[in-house]
């Protein structure tokens, strides 16, 4: 039932082999099909009922699968520029609000609202800064990876040229 409730973030998986095997499929980033077998025999009625209940609960599970994709250096650079622009805009807005708050400290209600907005915007700037740092790190990693691939291609090209020269002589 934990998988079918939208407000639950933690799913307490039972200690059963079936549940452990299906853990990624039932709660993860996957589309899942489940076939349950039942028996018409009277002596299997309890197990059939248990299987049908499990199937019914599993049918209610709603996953939101997403395509796992890696962004290119160009895409990361575009995201980085967008995040930097958003941070600059938020920072200038914060500066304007702080100036407004400083000038109008006599109006307590207005300054309280302004202070709340400033705190909210600072939190947004902090979040955007963290996102920006993550994207910068990922962009640096992609650049290093591209550089390493370039060196590897260069080394292989030299090796092929050397072998071609050896074959020619």
């Amino acid at each position: 039932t934990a998988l079918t409730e939208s407000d639950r973030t933690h799913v307490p998986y039972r200690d059963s082999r079936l549940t452990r095997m299906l853990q990624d499929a039932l709660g993860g980033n996957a589309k899942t099909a489940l076939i349950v077998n039942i028996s018409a025999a009277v002596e299997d009625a309890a197990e059939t009922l248990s299987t049908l209940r499990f199937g019914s609960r599993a049918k209610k599970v709603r996953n939101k699968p997403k395509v796992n994709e890696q962004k290119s250096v160009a895409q990361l650079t575009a995201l980085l520029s967008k995040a930097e622009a958003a941070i600059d805009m938020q920072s200038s807005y914060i500066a304007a609000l702080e100036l407004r708050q400083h000038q109008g400290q006599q109006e307590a209600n207005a300054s309280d609202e302004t202070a709340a907005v400033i705190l909210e915007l600072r939190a947004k700037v902090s979040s955007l800064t963290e996102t920006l740092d993550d994207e910068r790190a990922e962009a640096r990693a992609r650049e290093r990876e591209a550089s390493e691939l370039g060196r590897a291609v260069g080394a292989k090209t030299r090796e092929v040229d050397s072998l071609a020269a050896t074959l020619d002589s």
Side-chain angles (χ1 to χ4, degrees):
T1 60
L3 287 171
T4 59
E5 296 172 5
S6 61
D7 60 338
R8 301 235 0 215
T9 56
H10 173 70
V11 179
Y13 287 100
R14 293 180 22 209
D15 284 332
S16 76
R17 288 184 180 149
L18 177 62
T19 307
R20 286 288 173 199
M21 286 176 17
L22 295 174
Q23 179 175 350
D24 290 332
L26 291 176
N29 188 16
K31 290 187 177 183
T32 305
L34 181 67
I35 299 172
V36 294
N37 274 336
I38 59 173
S39 172
V42 174
E43 57 268 5
D44 294 331
E47 189 171 341
T48 297
L49 184 59
S50 174
T51 302
L52 289 172
R53 285 183 181 144
F54 174 79
S56 175
R57 286 191 313 272
K59 184 178 173 184
K60 293 178 184 177
V61 174
R62 296 287 176 241
N63 288 348
K64 295 177 185 170
K66 299 174 190 161
V67 175
N68 295 328
E69 60 183 60
Q70 289 187 348
K71 293 181 173 67
S72 68
V73 174
Q75 290 171 323
L76 290 172
T77 304
L79 286 172
L80 188 65
S81 299
K82 185 178 176 182
E84 286 174 340
I87 287 173
D88 290 342
M89 183 187 73
Q90 294 289 341
S91 295
S92 63
Y93 187 60
I94 287 173
L97 286 175
E98 285 175 338
L99 178 64
R100 189 171 125 196
Q101 181 188 18
H102 188 310
Q103 291 173 347
Q105 286 184 351
Q106 290 80 18
E107 300 175 24
N109 290 340
S111 67
D112 288 344
E113 291 173 10
T114 303
V117 169
I118 288 172
L119 288 175
E120 180 182 325
L121 289 173
R122 282 186 178 156
K124 284 182 182 178
V125 167
S126 176
S127 173
L128 287 171
T129 302
E130 288 177 18
T131 303
L132 181 63
D133 291 342
D134 292 345
E135 289 175 1
R136 283 180 178 159
E138 191 171 341
R140 284 191 298 268
R142 295 280 178 239
E143 287 173 1
R144 280 192 302 272
E145 186 177 309
S147 175
E148 289 172 8
L149 286 173
R151 283 193 295 272
V153 166
K156 290 296 181 183
T157 302
R158 287 189 296 277
E159 186 179 331
V160 167
D161 291 343
S162 172
L163 289 172
T166 304
L167 289 174
D168 288 342
S169 57

